[in-house]
Amino acid sequence: MLLADMGADVIRVDRRQGSEDRYIAAITESGEGGGFLSLNRNKRNLTLDTAKPESAEIIRRLVKGADVVVANLPMNVLKSMGLDYDSLRVLKPDIILARISTFGPDGPYVNRVGFDTVAQAMSGAMALTGFPGAPVGDIVPFEDFGTALHTAFGVMVALYHRTKTGQGQIVDGSLLATGITFTQGLLAERSVLGVERKQLGNTSFYTAPSDAYQTKDGWIVVSAVGNDMFARWARLVGHEEFIGDQRFADDQSRADNRLPITEAMNNWLASRTTEQAITELEKARVPAGPVLTLDQVLNDPQVKARELLKYVDHPGAAKPVPLANTAVQLSETPPGISSRAALLGEHTDEVLREIGYSDSEISELRAAEVV
C-alpha cells in the first residue's frame, strides 16, 4: 500500500477464489472488508492458481518486468514457487525481494506460522497490556503495520542502493522482529535491572500523571513528561506543593508514587467536562486528549481539516468507504489514493496482455482455470 501510494505500479497476485484477508469484516455485497479496501487501494489485481503448471511462466514474466517482489509466504513455499532470491536473480539479476514472515527465514521457528496476535504474545507486549488478569492483545494490529513500515523502509533503501551499485538484495521483515523492536525498552530494563513489570491498565510505568482519567461526561488521557511539564500540571490542579516534594523529583519517582498524583487528577476532573478539562490542560501545555468513539473520530474537526480519511466509492458498498489517507505527506511528490481497491481478478487480462499473452492464450488460461 505504501509503495502504491507513492506511485509504484503494484500488482497483487491473488488466489482465484480470493485470499482470506479480502473477506475479514465484510462491508460490501461481495464480501470485501474495510481493512482490505484500504490496504489494497492503488493496486491492480491478478488472480492465479499457482498449483497449475502454467502459472510458473506467468510468474516468470511478472518477475522479469518487476523492480521488487513482495512475498508473504513460508520459505519452503517460496522455493517451490521459484520466488526464493536465488531463483529470482536468474530471471532478473538486480531484483529486490521483500520477504515477510512471522519468525524470520531461519532459526528454530522458521517453519512455524503465525499472525499479528502471535507476535504480540511472543514479544512480551500482551503480558503487560491491560489491567491485572488475563493477557490482552491490542485491537490494532500494530505488529502487522509495524512490519509493513519497516519493510517498506527497507525496500526504499534497497532501491537507492541499486541506483548506486546496480545490485539487488533481500529485504527481510518479520512480525517477531517488529515485536522485539517495540518492546526493547522493557526488555532492556528487565535484563539489566531485573525490574519485573506487571499489567497496569492505561497507567504508564515511567511517568505520572500518565493515565486515562474520567471527567464529568467522558474520559481523557493525560501524559506529563519532565519536571517542567509536571510543574505546570501541579499548578493547574492546585497542588503546587508537589513541585518540591522528593516523592515526585523525577519521572520515575512520580510513576512509583503515582497514587497522590492520580487522586489530585481525579479530584480536579470531578467538576469538569471533557471539553473544559482539555481546554485548561492545553492552555497549561500539558498533553491531553479525549477518548473518542469511532463516530467521534469520523467527525473530528482535525481529521476532517487534514483529510486524514478519504471517502471512496466501491462497488457493492452502501456508501463511500472512509480510507485512511497516506499518513506521511511529501511536498514535491505528494502520495495519496488515486484508485479504489480492485475487484477480484479485475486486471487479470490487462496484466497478462502487458507481459505478452495474446487474447487467445488468455482464453486458454481461463478455460484451464489457471487464472
Side-chain angles (χ1 to χ4, degrees), residues 96-319:
I96 293 166
L97 171 62
R99 192 174 61 190
I100 302 168
S101 61
T102 303
F103 297 107
D106 47 36
Y109 302 160
V110 62
N111 291 318
R112 290 175 60 174
V113 296
F115 288 127
D116 174 276
T117 49
V118 174
Q120 287 193 38
M122 296 182 66
S123 64
M126 191 178 290
L128 294 176
T129 302
F131 293 89
V136 176
D138 198 310
I139 193 66
V140 175
F142 63 86
E143 309 283 21
D144 281 346
F145 281 87
T147 303
L149 287 163
H150 288 152
T151 307
F153 175 75
V155 167
M156 297 310 297
V157 172
L159 287 167
Y160 183 75
H161 174 76
R162 192 173 68 182
T163 65
K164 297 291 186 181
T165 67
Q167 296 176 332
Q169 61 180 302
I170 300 171
V171 178
D172 189 83
S174 75
L175 300 182
L176 186 60
T178 296
I180 296 299
T181 298
F182 287 174
T183 57
Q184 62 185 346
L186 291 158
L187 293 166
E189 181 186 54
R190 177 61 176 154
S191 177
V192 175
L193 301 179
V195 175
E196 185 176 5
R197 297 293 180 186
K198 301 290 186 181
Q199 292 164 300
L200 287 177
N202 299 302
T203 305
S204 170
F205 294 131
Y206 304 117
T207 186
S210 186
D211 206 336
Y213 304 95
Q214 192 166 14
T215 66
K216 286 176 64 176
D217 60 351
W219 289 81
I220 66 171
V221 293
V222 177
S223 183
V225 178
N227 289 350
D228 290 345
M229 195 178 292
F230 177 73
R232 294 198 299 271
W233 170 84
R235 295 187 187 100
L236 175 66
V237 302
H239 283 275
E240 193 163 351
E241 75 278 6
F242 283 0
I243 297 172
D245 192 322
Q246 286 305 300
R247 294 177 300 167
F248 313 132
D250 55 32
D251 284 327
Q252 190 62 64
S253 62
R254 290 190 282 272
D256 294 340
N257 298 285
R258 68 178 63 87
L259 292 182
I261 295 172
T262 299
E263 183 180 8
M265 185 82 254
N266 287 334
N267 289 339
W268 184 78
L269 289 171
S271 61
R272 288 167 171 81
T273 65
T274 293
E275 184 177 0
Q276 290 170 333
I278 295 296
T279 298
E280 293 185 54
L281 286 159
E282 174 56 34
K283 187 177 180 180
R285 306 305 289 163
V286 176
V291 178
L292 300 180
T293 65
L294 296 181
D295 283 337
Q296 290 171 320
V297 174
L298 290 168
N299 291 290
D300 185 83
Q302 184 72 7
V303 172
K304 289 184 175 181
R306 293 279 296 152
E307 297 183 346
L308 301 184
L309 292 170
K310 184 172 181 178
Y311 288 76
V312 177
D313 291 320
H314 191 86
K319 57 199 314 187

Side-chain angles (χ1 to χ4, degrees), residues 48-60 357 365 370:
L48 189 65
D49 183 349
T50 57
K52 298 292 179 74
E54 297 93 334
S55 70
E57 175 61 18
I58 295 173
I59 292 172
R60 188 186 72 82
Y357 285 91
L365 290 170
V370 177

